[in-house]
Amino acid sequence: MLNFDFYNPTQILFGQGQIAAIAKHIPASARVLLVYGGGSIKQNGVYDEVVAALAGFTVTEFAGIEPNPSYETLMRAIAQVKAEKIDFLLAVGGGSVIDGTKFIAAGALLDTDPWTILEKRGSNISAALPFGAVLTLPATGSEMNSGGVVTRKSTQEKYSFMSRKCFPKFAVLDPSKTYSLPTRQVGNGVVDAFAHVMEQYMTYPVGAKVQDRFAEGLLLTLIEEGPQALANPDDYDVRANIMWTATLALNGLIGAGVPQDWATHMIGHELTALHNLDHAQTLAIVLPSMLRVRKDAKRAKLLQFAERVWNLSGGDEDTRIEAAITRTEEFFEQMGVKTRLGDYGLGARDVDGVLAALEAHRMVKLGEQRDVTLEVSRKVLEMSL
Ligand code: NZQ
Ligand code: ZN
């Protein structure tokens, strides 16, 4: 097992009715900014519950954080935070709203252009306003991690950042608030969480037995419960299992002490920045080909994945590996997330543009062995046509 330094201070308030508990976790004198997205929270009752829970606080709002939150929108929120002397943020929504709130929290306290947070991947964050989160879409893990992803629309750049100052103080996970999700977002969430586990598990063995078993447990739960969420959308236990799984998939626990990949995510971010695909759609396209192209470097873990997750133990190694990748692909399709570039209207003509973006953003040595060069990325994209 590799050395590690695991830190996670986020308090989790899990279960139905927990929105009412947020008042206890916000300083009584706080000037709160309620941050949300395009308005789904006004249709499903979450907004009303949050407003009721904040009775007695000084509250203003910033609405309109878009999926794949933009620097341009978030800069308007930072201006509002400064003008209104806000000292606590409450993110209510999915990963985009929570990521956006992290950027606002850190950007508001920075004396240079907050875009530098993305350029420096968060290393220049020395302080951030405190914030909480009410999660409405299980997917990213942002509710219990310190990372965020922000897009600069004008230049089509999508970068991530990370800082220990950017953990939510608390996160409410009420599974009943996910009943209103469109099926596309249910599928996206399950695929994103699956990919997060794979980025941390599907590398090479380092004898990290408990991380491996946790990771396999999360994958098995997604495989079992994901289709159930599509078939029985109002099943509380199904929603609860998916919600907690997505959080655990990227809260640092399974990634501690193991090598990590993230090449699929980096290529995926370019596809979203250039072609506006949903985050999970990009992962469903890239991940299966990434595994096929890098089969030799990942052989031991692919065989373990085949046996423990997909129950494949017959046939020679290559047959088992290919069967496990095919099953993964079929699972993404079963969740309603298509796995080919062509399914989204993209083709061979678009590959060069993605590679140029990877090069411009210095994404030329990706993966756990830093061996995912532009040539490897080209192979992956061409295999995903
Ligand atoms: O904007 P609203 O009206 O809230 O609608 C949203 C949005 O249209 C809707 N939605 C959310 N909860 C709902 C709901 N609709 C009905 N009922 C509900 N309960 O869903 C749509 C998508 O929301 P979004 O927040 O964009 O989705 P997601 O949670 O998948 O977040 C994606 C973003 O997170 C980043 C991605 O790159 C992308 O920008 N990621 C963040 C990570 C992190 N912080 O650790 C890691 C991930 O790998 C990922 O990169
Ligand atoms: Zn992701």
Side-chain angles (χ1 to χ4, degrees), residues 252-269:
L253 185 68
I254 64 166
V258 297
Q260 301 195 14
D261 183 341
W262 297 104
T264 293
H265 267 72
M266 293 307 114
I267 298 177
H269 286 171

Side-chain angles (χ1 to χ4, degrees), residues 38-40 68 95-96 99 136 145 147 158 177 180-181 196 265 279:
S40 67
N68 307 302
S96 294
D99 284 7
T136 62
N145 71 36
K158 184 173 185 179
K177 300 301 175 249
S180 61
L181 281 168
H196 293 161
H265 267 72
H279 173 61

Side-chain angles (χ1 to χ4, degrees), residues 335-348:
M335 291 310 302
V337 189
K338 299 274 180 210
T339 55
R340 299 270 143 200
L341 283 165
D343 295 325
Y344 303 92
L346 301 177

Side-chain angles (χ1 to χ4, degrees), residues 163-184:
S163 165
R164 284 193 172 191
K165 305 290 177 195
C166 291
F167 281 100
K169 296 288 169 214
F170 63 82
V172 174
L173 277 63
D174 177 346
S176 69
K177 300 301 175 249
T178 68
Y179 295 155
S180 61
L181 281 168
T183 50
R184 170 166 155 193

Side-chain angles (χ1 to χ4, degrees), residues 183 186-188 190-191 222-231 284 310 326-339:
T183 50
V186 174
N188 279 348
V190 168
V191 168
L222 292 169
I223 291 165
E224 233 169 76
E225 303 295 291
Q228 290 300 320
L230 296 178
W310 293 112
T326 302
R327 296 285 280 274
T328 302
E329 226 161 25
E330 288 168 355
F331 173 62
F332 294 165
E333 295 270 350
Q334 187 187 4
M335 291 310 302
V337 189
K338 299 274 180 210
T339 55

Side-chain angles (χ1 to χ4, degrees), residues 78-312:
I78 288 175
Q80 186 174 335
V81 165
K82 290 181 176 171
E84 296 178 351
K85 303 198 171 8
I86 297 296
D87 56 15
F88 196 96
L89 305 173
L90 183 65
V92 184
S96 294
V97 171
I98 303 174
D99 284 7
T101 300
K102 291 174 181 177
F103 182 79
I104 298 165
L109 300 188
L110 212 65
D111 45 21
T112 52
D113 180 354
W115 183 249
T116 55
I117 292 174
L118 284 315
E119 287 170 345
K120 295 177 188 293
R121 302 291 188 267
S123 65
N124 59 332
I125 297 174
S126 54
L129 291 173
F131 66 97
V134 175
L135 180 68
T136 62
L137 199 179
T140 63
S142 187
E143 65 280 5
M144 199 182 177
N145 71 36
S146 62
V149 191
V150 170
T151 301
R152 192 163 187 154
K153 297 269 188 248
S154 60
T155 54
Q156 296 184 307
E157 288 168 285
K158 184 173 185 179
Y159 287 136
S160 55
F161 67 96
M162 204 180 267
S163 165
R164 284 193 172 191
K165 305 290 177 195
C166 291
F167 281 100
K169 296 288 169 214
F170 63 82
V172 174
L173 277 63
D174 177 346
S176 69
K177 300 301 175 249
T178 68
Y179 295 155
S180 61
L181 281 168
T183 50
R184 170 166 155 193
Q185 299 303 342
V186 174
N188 279 348
V190 168
V191 168
D192 192 23
F194 194 99
H196 293 161
V197 178
M198 292 294 273
E199 298 278 26
Q200 300 162 91
Y201 164 78
M202 185 48 66
T203 57
Y204 54 87
V206 292
K209 295 197 176 189
V210 73
Q211 291 90 326
D212 279 6
R213 296 281 190 192
F214 270 134
E216 288 152 2
L218 297 175
L219 295 173
L220 286 164
T221 306
L222 292 169
I223 291 165
E224 233 169 76
E225 303 295 291
Q228 290 300 320
L230 296 178
N232 307 305
D234 295 336
D235 187 318
Y236 180 84
D237 288 326
V238 167
R239 298 293 195 162
N241 278 297
I242 290 179
M243 204 166 204
W244 189 222
T245 301
T247 300
L248 290 168
L250 195 52
N251 72 346
L253 185 68
I254 64 166
V258 297
Q260 301 195 14
D261 183 341
W262 297 104
T264 293
H265 267 72
M266 293 307 114
I267 298 177
H269 286 171
E270 302 300 355
L271 282 168
T272 297
L274 291 172
H275 301 291
N276 212 21
L277 269 55
D278 292 350
H279 173 61
Q281 293 172 340
T282 70
L283 306 174
I285 294 168
V286 176
L287 181 61
S289 304
M290 185 66 78
L291 298 179
R292 288 192 174 100
V293 168
R294 294 163 67 201
K295 180 173 76 170
D296 288 326
K298 292 180 181 289
R299 178 169 293 268
K301 288 305 272 293
L302 278 166
L303 289 167
Q304 182 177 321
F305 171 66
E307 185 175 346
R308 294 192 192 171
V309 175
W310 293 112
N311 222 356
L312 298 162

